[in-house]
Amino acid sequence: MISNWGSALVRTFRGTSAPMTYTLIGLCCLIFVLGPASGFVPSYGTGDALLAAQRAYFRRWGVVPADLFGSPAREALTPVTALFIHGSWIHLLGNMLFLYVFGTMTEERLGRVEFTLFYVVCGYLALLGYAVANADSEQSLVGASGAISAVLGAFLYLFPRARVTSLLPFLFFLPLRFPAWVVLPFWAALQWLAAGQAAQGPGVAYLAHLVGFTLGFGYAWVRFGRTTRVGPAPVTVPEGENQP
């Protein structure tokens, strides 16, 4: 869940053409609104009936590690369907903010088709990696965090000097600007520490974040090599500093 990452990162430049990023955001939002977690569909009921509908929905479309390795072949598709399912408004909006911030420029660099395949495949492998490490778990895993973490990893390699704005809770949420090579490795370190405490904390798949981030960075490294990194965007095309 991206919204649990602890800081909001905002791009200081605007991409020019990223239709698949916007399409992915639109699909996630549409699917959420039509699902039981949004509260917008009366047919799911209220109270206990709504909670039961949500549990069934997440189990049907999310990744359940115990089912993934011991059930019919259709379960093999759940790491894809889970990428478009979110558990709450905060979960959805946090993920979509990060996809918008980092997805547009990454898509421009990779291209539409390659970016889409990269997003889905890395997201699938991130959720699969979590499932392998928690093969006996009966808990449903949903959300685009693994795929978006891969986008962050690729962004770090491709645009290490791009400046982003961070809101740090321990500094009273003061907006501070840092290059991506400072912010994103710091985030990855937090995920590593949180993964070690996962059994004691909330149901956030920190391991999926780490797997996705590593896959994304590794893919960009292999795909583009050392000579294709892009520096910070010109200050003449600022986007502004929107807050989530």
Side-chain angles (χ1 to χ4, degrees):
M1 178 175 175
I2 302 291
S3 58
N4 281 352
W5 287 2
S7 62
L9 309 177
V10 181
R11 192 158 44 99
T12 59
F13 33 79
R14 181 184 300 278
T16 57
S17 178
M20 294 312 303
T21 297
Y22 303 134
T23 298
L24 290 168
I25 292 173
L27 280 174
C28 287
C29 291
L30 177 63
I31 291 170
F32 178 80
V33 168
L34 296 177
S38 70
F40 285 167
V41 183
S43 62
Y44 287 114
T46 59
D48 291 340
L50 178 59
L51 292 176
Q54 291 174 356
R55 286 192 293 268
Y57 184 79
F58 296 147
R59 191 170 188 91
R60 172 64 182 85
W61 300 108
V63 176
V64 181
D67 294 343
L68 182 63
F69 302 112
S71 291
R74 71 173 181 81
E75 293 293 335
L77 295 176
T78 56
V80 174
T81 58
L83 295 177
F84 299 92
I85 307 297
H86 291 83
S88 68
W89 281 101
I90 293 177
H91 188 196
L92 172 73
L93 296 176
N95 277 356
M96 296 306 99
L97 170 65
F98 276 77
L99 179 55
Y100 170 73
V101 167
F102 295 102
T104 51
M105 287 192 64
T106 305
E107 179 183 346
E108 289 169 12
R109 189 67 186 88
L110 295 180
R112 300 174 185 179
V113 174
E114 185 176 354
F115 174 79
T116 304
L117 292 174
F118 164 82
Y119 181 91
V120 173
V121 172
C122 288
Y124 186 103
L125 293 176
L127 294 178
L128 184 63
Y130 176 88
V132 169
N134 299 272
D136 296 329
S137 175
E138 295 282 348
Q139 184 177 4
S140 300
L141 180 64
V142 298
S145 299
I148 297 171
S149 297
V151 173
L152 265 66
F155 186 97
L156 173 60
Y157 184 81
L158 294 171
F159 310 103
R161 292 180 293 168
R163 301 188 71 83
V164 293
T165 299
S166 300
L167 299 180
L168 303 176
F170 56 85
L171 292 179
F172 305 101
F173 294 97
L174 292 175
L176 300 174
R177 297 178 64 184
F178 298 100
W181 66 265
V182 171
V183 175
L184 295 181
F186 177 73
W187 167 83
L190 291 179
Q191 303 310 293
W192 178 270
L193 293 174
Q197 303 294 326
Q200 305 171 19
V204 179
Y206 295 108
L207 180 60
H209 297 175
L210 285 170
V211 173
F213 186 83
T214 302
L215 288 172
F217 187 89
Y219 178 83
W221 184 17
V222 172
R223 170 69 174 81
F224 294 102
R226 294 176 177 268
T227 60
T228 59
R229 294 187 178 186
V230 179
V235 297
T236 55
V237 287
E239 181 186 61
E241 296 183 356
N242 306 311
Q243 304 302 334

